[in-house]
Amino acid sequence: MKIKLIGVIAGFYIVNALIAFCAEPALKDVFKDTFLIGAALNPWQFSGNTNAEGQIILKHFNTITPENSLKWGNLHPYPGQYVFSQADRFVEFGVKHKMVIIGHTLIWYAQTPRWVFQDNDGKPLTREAVLERMREHIHTVVGRYKGKIRGWDVVNEALNENGTLRNSQWLKSIGEDYIVKAFQFAQESDPEAELYYNDYGLEYEPKRKGAVEIVKKLQSAGVKISGVGLQGHYDINRPSAKQIDETIETFSKLGVKVMITELDVNVLPTSGPGGADVTMRFRADPKLNPYTNGLPKDVEERLARRYAELFGVFLKHKQTVTRVTFWGVSDRSSWLNNFPIRGRTNYPLLFDRNCQPKPAFYAVVDIVHQIPE
Ligand code: GLA
């Protein structure tokens, strides 16, 4: 009797969950006339589709980016040695499900092994030698996925907050033209691919000016740049809608597209300057982790309003914004549970820890109907 009752109750919940799942509109349908909508995936998510996150991916998204699988350190850990198995699986997943596949990222200061810049004795390589390694890497990787990967984040995070070039190992080894060279090599490898410069914090004017310079340099060198990726690692109240609006406008005037490439909204108190500098780390402190038992209703509503505001700006610029990609699928696996402080409970995405749509999801769906054509 007891077992029968449990069966009935379980059945009730399963049926209800199914009804809710079918009733909620697919984001990719909601935005089909505006922009692509997607998520960054980890290998767990693109290797099997049986889990709840797998269902969200297939139902809601028409574009995917790998969280790490195409970064230099993962793909090319030792000189002359490539490990393609994970990246191949990612690309196969996208091809199988007819998704637009984004390559992230070719040239970045982080997650790039030290050997890239050194000879066998650990001494710094010459500019020419590093350029040759860069060329070989880009030709190999872009060439392998030619015709399958639609667009590449060619250079990621080359700028300091004040708009000058970050003193990365790429800059030190090659000099300022490393950015133009990277785009040239990518263009040679797949002339059809879209090529992007990707960064966070471009909503703040000094850094935005630096990105404008990069775009102009590429354009005047006659090298292809298709778009600028605004990572979109945002806080609940900064940057302002106005700053985001002006940023999209600025790049649009330069004749390039804009994509929101790593969207999430942090709801936890921040230590430090905010933003997405991956080198930032702070000590754990319970005061900075206030919502371990769930998000209070008022914060949940603020998050929904923030998401509506953000999508309002993206929709306003639908001629320029071609894609919105979330950095993750659901709150349970977001990197913001561990950045910049380990082990916190954050709520940055549209799907909660149980993979259910949050009020922010419905706010995003609703805003489409509120923006005039
Ligand atoms: C940056 C990078 C991403 C990722 C995030 C943190 O934004 O562009 O590849 O590493 O940091 O997960």
Side-chain angles (χ1 to χ4, degrees), residues 67 71 104 108 111 156-157 231 233 262 278 327 335:
E67 260 189 55
K71 290 175 181 167
H104 173 83
W108 189 23
Q111 291 180 251
N156 195 35
E157 302 180 351
Q231 290 187 359
H233 291 297
E262 307 187 14
V278 291
W327 201 252
W335 75 300

Side-chain angles (χ1 to χ4, degrees), residues 122-345:
K123 302 238 171 63
L125 283 178
T126 62
R127 162 183 158 90
E128 292 315 316
V130 177
L131 267 177
E132 175 47 26
R133 287 193 168 170
M134 178 198 259
R135 193 197 62 79
E136 190 275 335
H137 177 88
I138 293 179
H139 275 223
T140 305
V141 176
V142 176
R144 184 177 182 91
Y145 301 113
K146 188 173 172 179
K148 291 185 176 161
I149 290 193
R150 161 94 55 102
W152 282 95
D153 292 336
V154 179
V155 175
N156 195 35
E157 302 180 351
L159 293 165
N160 293 313
E161 309 318 298
N162 67 5
T164 57
L165 286 182
R166 199 187 268 273
N167 196 21
S168 70
Q169 203 49 57
W170 291 112
L171 182 71
K172 286 191 243 176
S173 300
I174 299 177
E176 287 197 5
D177 64 340
Y178 85 88
I179 299 176
V180 172
K181 291 286 182 195
F183 276 79
Q184 248 167 20
F185 296 147
Q187 189 177 358
E188 285 163 16
S189 317
D190 185 354
E192 302 299 316
E194 295 180 2
L195 307 180
Y196 321 123
Y197 174 70
N198 192 52
D199 212 330
Y200 65 90
L202 301 183
E203 295 77 6
Y204 301 97
E205 224 180 316
K207 195 164 183 179
R208 189 190 315 157
K209 284 197 175 136
V212 166
E213 285 314 304
I214 290 178
V215 173
K216 286 188 173 161
K217 260 203 185 123
L218 286 161
Q219 290 175 330
S220 62
V223 176
K224 177 172 178 178
I225 166 147
S226 324
V228 172
L230 307 182
Q231 290 187 359
H233 291 297
Y234 294 140
D235 275 319
I236 196 106
N237 46 23
R238 64 183 178 169
S240 67
K242 183 161 175 278
Q243 285 171 308
I244 301 171
D245 180 82
E246 284 167 4
T247 307
I248 300 174
E249 186 78 31
T250 302
F251 292 115
S252 159
K253 286 199 179 123
L254 293 177
V256 293
K257 297 293 183 193
V258 169
M259 39 289 303
I260 314 302
T261 55
E262 307 187 14
L263 183 60
D264 46 25
V265 176
N266 168 49
V267 300
L268 298 181
T270 39
S271 11
D277 179 343
V278 291
T279 60
M280 252 182 342
R281 288 275 161 229
F282 299 101
R283 230 175 235 286
D285 173 349
K287 281 203 289 302
L288 300 176
N289 189 21
Y291 311 132
T292 48
N293 294 323
L295 198 58
K297 197 150 180 279
D298 60 319
V299 188
E300 185 87 66
E301 280 164 9
R302 266 176 72 203
L303 179 68
R305 284 200 299 277
R306 174 65 162 157
Y307 261 112
E309 172 183 69
L310 293 173
F311 273 78
V313 178
F314 306 155
L315 285 165
K316 174 179 168 200
H317 292 283
K318 66 180 179 189
Q319 307 300 342
T320 303
V321 175
T322 56
R323 169 169 57 94
V324 177
T325 298
F326 292 92
W327 201 252
V329 176
S330 78
D331 289 345
R332 71 158 78 146
S333 52
S334 164
W335 75 300
L336 288 178
N337 293 313
N338 290 302
F339 172 87
I341 297 174
R342 288 206 168 277
R344 295 199 297 176
T345 309

